[in-house]
Amino acid sequence: MPTDTPMQLGMIGLGRMGANLVRRLMRDGHRCVAYDRNPAVVKSLEAEGATGAESLADFVAKLDKPRAMWIMVPAGVVESTLDQLRPLLEADDIVIDGGNSYYRDDITRAADLKRDGIHYVDVGTSGGVWGLDRGYCLMIGGEDEPVNRLGPLLATIAPGKGSVEPTPGRTKGGTAEQGYLHCGPNGAGHFVKMVHNGVEYGMMAAIAEGLSIIKHADEGLHQGEIDAETTPLRDPWAYQYTIDVADVAEVWRRGSVVSSWLVDLTAAAFAKSPDLGAFSGRVSDSGEGRWTVLAAVDEGVPASVIAASLYERFESRDAGEFTGKVLSALRSEFGGHAEKKA
């Protein structure tokens, strides 16, 4: 049912997540002002009930004071967006960065905006393209007062308790069980989201590697050539299984210790493309995994799984090609080993 405390929020950036955040808010009775560099996207959301803006100046003018505005753009564009926005703002306005900015940038930006009395709130937002219906897990950093002021908006965006069973023995209460959490001062929200994404890297890598081992369990059925440059398969009889990995992903969804939304998504991907032929295997990283590993180094905390999953992504983009050439050249130099062609 619609919220009993409707608010107004401005959204800058109407990509996959920004547009769905607006839709989720409007669905619950909140009023939204929407701006994007692409006028067609703005018009589309206007047709759904949002108030469109033609420019940042128009955007700010259409917001009630004190204003609350959410920036949902790539991390590399946040700074330039703030530079354009800042001259239009006034004391007590709230600027929310809901993207994947580096938490250290949040600390600097918050201190800078505070000189003009402008509040800055960083919100790590997890939910991807499914958040419109599932809700978004929110990890929040900022001062208490502006975060509290945003409460009705955050409660709408978050999933709520839903069908998730309460944790046995937990008596603390609070908003965490609603799917959003004020983690601490500026930067804390994006710090927690940064580590969340690092964990995501490791979980995804483990699922992918496990299914790849299962896929290659038929190695003994097609023994390759045996020569000095190839490690022979010691026991071909032990690797003669032809197992449908899509079925494995499906069975893991049901009652398994590793069942999870990521496994659900894996099974869905196989249902769409059994051989995953639409993908080249080139895996991008948008920064959070790197920053998580850097934080682990600074803190002296072992994070070998997350680090390995990050390097695996580098390898998927042929970033290790030159390393391989050096290794191959060394084998040729010290042992006269001929490089096998791929």
Side-chain angles (χ1 to χ4, degrees):
M1 62 183 292
T3 179
D4 56 5
T5 50
M7 293 182 65
Q8 184 194 52
L9 179 75
M11 182 67 66
I12 300 172
L14 305 176
R16 288 168 296 182
M17 288 183 70
N20 278 346
L21 283 165
V22 170
R23 293 184 178 105
R24 187 170 175 88
L25 286 163
M26 292 193 301
R27 179 188 291 178
D28 205 29
H30 297 286
R31 296 174 294 119
C32 293
V33 178
Y35 172 73
D36 192 276
R37 290 182 298 176
N38 182 349
V41 180
V42 177
K43 289 292 183 186
S44 175
L45 275 179
E46 274 188 315
E48 297 180 42
T51 299
E54 298 179 354
S55 65
L56 283 178
D58 184 38
F59 170 81
V60 171
K62 289 177 175 176
L63 289 171
D64 301 335
K65 299 179 184 180
R67 308 172 183 92
M69 61 210 78
W70 185 302
I71 300 174
M72 202 66 176
V73 298
V77 187
V78 172
E79 194 69 34
S80 60
T81 303
L82 279 172
D83 287 344
Q84 298 173 61
L85 193 59
R86 183 169 183 172
L88 306 170
L89 304 182
E90 298 175 11
D92 211 26
D93 287 346
I94 301 174
V95 177
I96 305 157
D97 179 2
N100 283 324
S101 291
Y102 192 22
Y103 78 96
R104 296 188 179 203
D105 292 335
D106 295 321
I107 298 171
T108 303
R109 290 166 183 159
D112 186 42
L113 289 169
K114 190 173 183 179
R115 287 198 286 267
D116 292 333
I118 300 167
H119 305 290
Y120 180 92
V121 176
D122 51 284
V123 179
T125 310
S126 181
V129 297
W130 300 87
L132 174 60
D133 295 316
R134 287 171 55 101
Y136 298 86
C137 177
L138 303 177
M139 295 143 271
I140 306 152
E143 305 161 280
D144 289 345
E145 191 281 324
V147 171
N148 291 338
R149 197 192 311 174
L150 296 169
L153 296 169
L154 300 172
T156 287
I157 293 169
K161 287 186 178 181
S163 59
V164 178
E165 292 292 329
T167 300
R170 177 181 168 86
T171 58
K172 187 176 180 180
T175 64
E177 62 188 27
Q178 301 289 339
Y180 67 103
L181 178 67
H182 185 189
C183 301
N186 292 114
H190 278 153
F191 186 89
V192 175
K193 177 56 160 54
M194 171 188 80
V195 178
H196 163 284
N197 283 25
V199 171
E200 181 183 291
Y201 280 29
M203 293 173 69
M204 291 170 66
I207 293 168
E209 290 173 6
L211 290 176
S212 186
I213 294 169
I214 291 170
K215 179 177 176 58
H216 290 91
D218 64 348
E219 202 66 25
L221 295 174
H222 37 78
Q223 180 81 36
E225 63 179 295
I226 300 175
D227 56 39
E229 305 304 322
T230 306
T231 302
L233 183 61
R234 179 183 175 90
D235 298 311
W237 53 266
Y239 298 96
Q240 302 203 6
Y241 302 114
T242 302
I243 303 171
D244 188 319
V245 291
D247 281 347
V248 171
E250 186 65 27
V251 77
W252 281 358
R253 296 180 61 216
R254 305 167 190 282
S256 163
V257 171
V258 300
S259 61
S260 64
W261 189 38
L262 287 176
V263 173
D264 292 346
L265 295 176
T266 303
F270 279 118
K272 294 174 185 174
S273 176
D275 64 353
L276 302 184
F279 301 93
S280 68
R282 182 183 177 88
V283 187
S284 299
D285 75 287
S286 54
E288 295 85 355
R290 302 184 189 209
W291 302 333
T292 302
V293 172
L294 291 174
V297 171
D298 285 345
E299 296 173 0
V301 174
S304 53
V305 172
I306 295 173
S309 67
L310 174 64
Y311 294 144
E312 193 170 76
R313 293 190 179 205
F314 295 163
E315 185 64 44
S316 78
R317 306 197 294 269
D318 296 327
E321 182 180 11
F322 186 74
T323 304
K325 289 182 177 181
V326 173
L327 291 172
S328 190
L330 284 170
R331 292 186 79 247
S332 176
E333 289 297 322
F334 68 65
H337 298 281
E339 186 177 67
K340 294 198 73 170
K341 300 304 178 185

